Amino acid sequence: MKKNNAGLWMVCFALLLLMPRLIWTVAADRFETDATENTVMATAPKLTKDNWKDYPASLEEYYNGSVPFRSQLITLHSLLDLNVFREKSINDKVVVGGQDWLFYSAESDIEDYKGTNLFTEGQLAVIADNLLVTKNWLEARDIEFVLFVAPNKETIYGEDYLPAYYKKGELTRTGQLLSYLKEHTDIRVVYPEEEMRQCREDWSLYWHYDTHWNAAGGYIGAKKLLAELGIEVPDPHELTFTPDDFSGYDLARMMNLQDYYEKKKPKDINYIVTGYNGNNLQAVSIDDATALVYHSDSPDERKLFMVRDSFAGGMAPALVSNFRDSYLAHWNGFFEQSMVDEQAPDVFVLEVVERRLDYLSTFRLSD
């Protein structure tokens, strides 16, 4: 190759490498730049005498998170996998099922469904001990204690919409835990799987493009919990479920495809649930990352305190309208034991979704 031609190819190659950055510098404000696949954007690290060992890794993380056209490239990759290669597992966080149902695979949802992550006898004993100690601590303060387990989306709809190569296990760790607690403790446990499976064809109880249940699923869960606490609310079939296309889209965002799924027809399925007594429910303070605080004119004057995850949001309207006051504290980085004494509730509910049952290995209220 002649020297002139070699030099020209080198210049062209350099321009090819630099062009995305040059275009991005000029036109970045015209493109999506957020970490829309549910990641946290890294900030540019500064080299100091204290971080020089970790600086290369931090710089790589920053570069990977801020590379030009990153969001657009992720979207393109997901669309190619979905529509061209017909992949059923787009990435390590999402499984694409039948009829556009999306399922979560970044935590233990799939393992829970297959029954491949069973508890050991020792783990079950630790959880049972934690719950018994918690129950005794609460009862010493005249506070009722109930454990509420929200079913994974896969538990209710996996057999219908997960790819056929995911086989449902005969024994799951939720089943293990419920049996163990029933045999070895007097812990009150609410797990609305049966009620939800009975209604799963009447309504879509979970958003198709999100990990969470919608208002219909939340109502059924709330009804089961309220019954355990001595409060009866109408059967779902006695209520009005008005379709609403709102969705959380957290699974769609993990693939950077929220816009794609928002435009799908039909849209995702939610409901506005009416027909039960809201008792003039008032939202005092709403922050999903910290606390949901409510007041109502319920004839039941008890105060509810719940340690919860994001599934409590779908339960809240039907649940908290049946207590005079309610304080729902998020478990992740917010809840502290001192809050229980500060709030002085009559009822304490520990709510956890199936995929986070490991949380019960560390949750413990004690002196």
Side-chain angles (χ1 to χ4, degrees), residues 106-167:
E107 295 186 51
S108 69
D109 294 54
I110 300 300
E111 288 73 20
D112 290 342
Y113 179 77
K114 296 190 298 183
T116 57
N117 59 343
L118 299 179
F119 287 121
T120 65
E121 191 76 10
Q123 289 171 325
L124 290 169
V126 168
I127 292 174
D129 183 62
N130 285 342
L131 294 175
L132 284 172
V133 170
T134 296
K135 174 178 177 289
N136 293 336
W137 187 87
L138 291 166
E139 287 184 345
R141 291 160 173 76
D142 294 322
I143 302 172
E144 294 183 65
F145 175 53
V146 176
L147 171 65
F148 180 90
V149 179
N152 288 337
K153 181 180 182 178
E154 294 75 14
T155 298
I156 307 302
Y157 287 110
E159 293 170 272
D160 300 315
Y161 299 111
L162 270 175
Y165 49 79
Y166 291 111
K167 303 299 183 183

Side-chain angles (χ1 to χ4, degrees), residues 33-270:
T33 58
D34 293 335
T36 51
E37 73 280 10
N38 275 12
T39 58
V40 178
M41 290 291 285
T43 56
K46 295 182 180 179
L47 179 62
T48 68
K49 64 179 181 179
D50 297 319
N51 73 346
W52 63 272
K53 289 185 178 180
D54 299 325
Y55 181 77
S58 299
L59 183 62
E60 181 180 8
E61 180 182 1
Y62 167 71
Y63 180 79
N64 289 339
S66 59
V67 65
F69 303 102
R70 177 179 186 273
S71 182
Q72 290 71 31
L73 289 170
I74 293 172
T75 298
L76 177 61
H77 177 264
S78 293
L79 286 173
L80 285 172
D81 278 350
L82 189 64
N83 295 311
V84 178
F85 299 110
R86 302 296 179 182
E87 291 287 340
K88 290 300 183 182
S89 182
I90 298 300
N91 55 34
D92 60 355
K93 297 179 181 179
V94 183
V95 172
V96 179
Q99 299 184 31
D100 283 329
W101 279 72
L102 304 181
F103 294 92
Y104 192 37
S105 58
E107 295 186 51
S108 69
D109 294 54
I110 300 300
E111 288 73 20
D112 290 342
Y113 179 77
K114 296 190 298 183
T116 57
N117 59 343
L118 299 179
F119 287 121
T120 65
E121 191 76 10
Q123 289 171 325
L124 290 169
V126 168
I127 292 174
D129 183 62
N130 285 342
L131 294 175
L132 284 172
V133 170
T134 296
K135 174 178 177 289
N136 293 336
W137 187 87
L138 291 166
E139 287 184 345
R141 291 160 173 76
D142 294 322
I143 302 172
E144 294 183 65
F145 175 53
V146 176
L147 171 65
F148 180 90
V149 179
N152 288 337
K153 181 180 182 178
E154 294 75 14
T155 298
I156 307 302
Y157 287 110
E159 293 170 272
D160 300 315
Y161 299 111
L162 270 175
Y165 49 79
Y166 291 111
K167 303 299 183 183
K168 183 174 177 60
E170 293 185 6
L171 178 64
T172 67
R173 65 177 186 169
T174 303
Q176 277 186 299
L177 180 61
L178 297 182
S179 296
Y180 191 92
L181 293 178
K182 183 177 181 180
E183 181 179 353
H184 296 278
T185 76
D186 58 352
I187 300 296
R188 297 160 67 186
V189 184
V190 175
Y191 178 58
E193 178 190 7
E194 181 179 349
E195 290 77 7
M196 298 189 74
R197 292 181 71 85
Q198 290 174 355
C199 295
R200 65 179 179 170
E201 295 182 2
D202 298 325
W203 306 282
S204 285
L205 305 181
Y206 290 73
W207 286 316
H208 294 192
Y209 312 135
D210 192 280
T211 58
H212 300 87
W213 54 21
N214 57 28
Y219 181 86
I220 294 169
K223 175 176 169 55
K224 176 82 168 179
L225 176 56
L226 287 167
E228 177 63 31
L229 295 170
I231 301 171
E232 294 298 329
V233 294
D235 183 271
H237 295 91
E238 299 172 8
L239 303 179
T240 300
F241 288 75
T242 304
D244 174 17
D245 61 10
F246 174 78
S247 174
Y249 288 105
D250 63 0
L251 292 171
R253 285 198 303 276
M254 291 175 195
M255 299 188 293
N256 215 31
L257 291 180
Q258 180 170 347
D259 289 344
Y260 171 80
Y261 280 105
E262 282 182 334
K263 296 172 183 176
K264 295 280 287 186
K265 301 290 185 180
K267 290 182 175 292
D268 209 346
I269 300 175
N270 191 38

Side-chain angles (χ1 to χ4, degrees), residues 307-328:
V307 174
R308 49 90 192 178
D309 54 34
S310 51
F311 273 72
M315 301 171 64
L319 177 64
V320 302
S321 60
N322 287 281
F323 295 93
R324 187 64 57 87
D325 291 287
S326 302
Y327 191 96
L328 283 55

